[in-house]
Amino acid sequence: MVDIGTRAELDGDVYRTLLESTNAIPWKIDWATMAFAYIGPQIESLLGWTPESWASVQDWVDRMHPEDRAWVVDFCVAQSKDGVDHEADYRALSKSGEYVWIRDVVHVVRNAEGEVEALVGFMFDISERKRTEEKLLNMQRELERLSFKDGLTGVGNRRCFDKVLKNEWSCAQRSRQPLSLVMLDIDYFKQYNDHYGHIQGDNCLKQVGALLDSIATRPRDFLARYGGEEFVLVLPETDAQSARSMAERCRELIEQTQMPHEKSSAAPVLTVSLGVGAVVPDMADEPLSLIDAVDRALYQAKLQGRNRIAMADEP
């Protein structure tokens, strides 16, 4: 007859065998010491690091992509302190120097007093899923660019902008990465049209659209004609400072073309005013809040004399 101690040991061996035979990588962290109590041997096959090299939470932090590190650590620590089960996607550094997309699913274990005692969870390799998502996203964006272009300038139209912003907003909510908007308006465009005529006005819009499109070079950067003489740039994974730099490049490039504008009170050449805003949206936030904030900033840029940039308050 098997005694209780032997039976428990056998059960433990069975559970360990089951855990270590899956593609998911089980792990456990002691909350008091922030040390790994266990991590499955599958980690070495996936990332090249031996289980023994995962001594503390710091090893987990150090092996995370620098762009993901801050928000993932802050998010996971906050959720764990609150005793909330959670999950996070991030890029983990392999021993060979490459990055692998990981999904960490975390369960918070409490003691009898209700205090956090440990974290247990599973790491999943989601690299293939991410590659598929990226391909589908690129295909979708390409179709949208072809199907929803502004007839005059060839850039995205308002309908396309609405769809792209909705998609990027959802991505930013999931990834906790910043999303920026740059909204710009050609200064005194009515006076330009009245003085030079509507044909030249249309040519002006085409030129401005082409110049702006040449700046939005990253695969997910998106430019649309927002309406009339207004254009808008959607900049995923871009913070406020970087978005302002992009806006300044737009402003300088258009001014440097030296397109004459005799009826402008801002300069003798064509200029633009710009509003800029960035946000890391919460799940309850709506895109309209960012649009309104950036639109108000654009209005401030005009009030301050035009041919300049104004930053939006956080929406």
Side-chain angles (χ1 to χ4, degrees):
M1 181 176 180
V2 180
D3 61 36
I4 294 176
T6 303
R7 179 59 181 273
E9 184 177 343
L10 289 172
D11 287 345
D13 290 341
V14 170
Y15 293 145
R16 182 181 292 266
T17 299
L18 288 172
L19 287 173
E20 295 179 357
S21 65
T22 66
N23 290 328
I25 303 167
W27 55 265
K28 179 179 180 181
I29 291 174
D30 179 72
W31 184 254
T33 63
M34 288 295 167
F36 274 92
Y38 174 77
I39 189 165
Q42 305 99 311
I43 195 69
E44 187 169 3
S45 299
L46 178 60
L47 297 178
W49 307 104
T50 64
E52 294 75 23
S53 71
W54 297 81
S56 71
V57 169
Q58 192 59 47
D59 295 311
W60 171 70
V61 173
D62 291 342
R63 292 166 182 172
M64 198 178 299
H65 195 289
E67 294 178 2
D68 301 336
R69 188 176 296 144
W71 79 263
V72 171
V73 172
D74 290 346
F75 172 72
C76 290
V77 169
Q79 295 293 98
S80 299
K81 284 182 177 179
D82 291 340
V84 178
D85 294 347
H86 55 280
E87 59 184 57
D89 294 352
Y90 58 87
R91 289 161 289 182
L93 178 67
S94 68
K95 196 172 183 180
S96 64
E98 299 174 342
Y99 283 96
V100 176
W101 272 103
I102 296 289
R103 173 164 293 171
D104 238 334
V105 179
V106 184
H107 175 66
V108 181
V109 179
R110 294 176 175 273
N111 59 24
E113 289 72 37
E115 300 169 333
V116 178
E117 183 177 79
L119 304 177
V120 296
F122 288 92
M123 294 181 185
F124 297 88
D125 177 7
I126 59 169
S127 298
E128 187 59 36
R129 181 186 306 173
K130 283 290 183 180
R131 283 191 289 269
T132 301
E133 288 176 357
E134 189 65 25
K135 287 179 181 177
L136 290 173
L137 191 59
N138 288 337
M139 289 174 61
Q140 179 184 355
R141 296 202 189 290
E142 183 60 24
L143 286 172
E144 287 175 344
R145 288 180 188 271
L146 294 173
S147 303
F148 296 95
K149 284 188 176 182
D150 176 61
L152 177 64
T153 63
V155 302
N157 59 19
R158 178 65 180 271
R159 182 183 178 191
C160 188
F161 164 74
D162 291 339
K163 290 177 68 67
V164 169
L165 181 61
K166 181 180 178 181
N167 289 339
E168 292 295 356
W169 191 267
S170 297
C171 289
Q173 286 174 320
R174 292 193 301 269
S175 68
R176 305 300 299 159
Q177 294 292 308
L179 175 65
S180 291
L181 286 186
V182 176
M183 191 174 291
L184 64 92
D185 188 282
I186 299 175
D187 293 327
Y188 299 105
F189 187 70
K190 181 181 183 302
Q191 290 81 348
Y192 186 96
N193 253 340
D194 291 343
H195 182 67
Y196 295 102
H198 290 285
I199 293 177
Q200 184 56 35
D202 286 351
N203 289 334
C204 172
L205 290 171
K206 292 177 184 178
Q207 285 182 267
V208 170
L211 288 169
L212 296 174
D213 204 33
S214 71
I215 294 176
T217 56
R218 298 182 306 172
R220 290 170 59 194
D221 291 347
F222 175 77
L223 170 68
R225 184 180 176 195
Y226 194 68
E229 66 273 20
E230 283 189 332
F231 293 83
V232 62
L233 278 165
V234 182
L235 304 174
E237 299 183 7
T238 304
D239 60 21
Q241 182 178 354
S242 299
R244 183 186 175 87
S245 297
M246 174 75 87
E248 183 59 28
R249 287 175 58 199
C250 294
R251 191 198 66 78
E252 289 179 350
L253 183 60
I254 291 171
E255 187 175 32
Q256 288 168 3
T257 59
Q258 297 289 294
M259 285 187 277
H261 190 348
E262 296 178 12
K263 298 301 180 180
S264 172
S265 300
V269 296
L270 196 78
T271 60
V272 294
S273 301
L274 306 99
V276 179
V279 67
V280 179
D282 291 328
M283 297 307 295
D285 292 339
E286 294 293 337
L288 187 60
S289 61
L290 180 58
I291 295 174
D292 287 344
V294 175
D295 189 52
R296 289 194 298 270
L298 174 57
Y299 181 70
Q300 288 300 313
K302 294 179 181 179
L303 287 180
Q304 293 164 11
R306 306 191 189 230
N307 190 22
R308 67 193 63 220
I309 298 166
M311 299 297 295
D313 297 328
E314 186 173 334

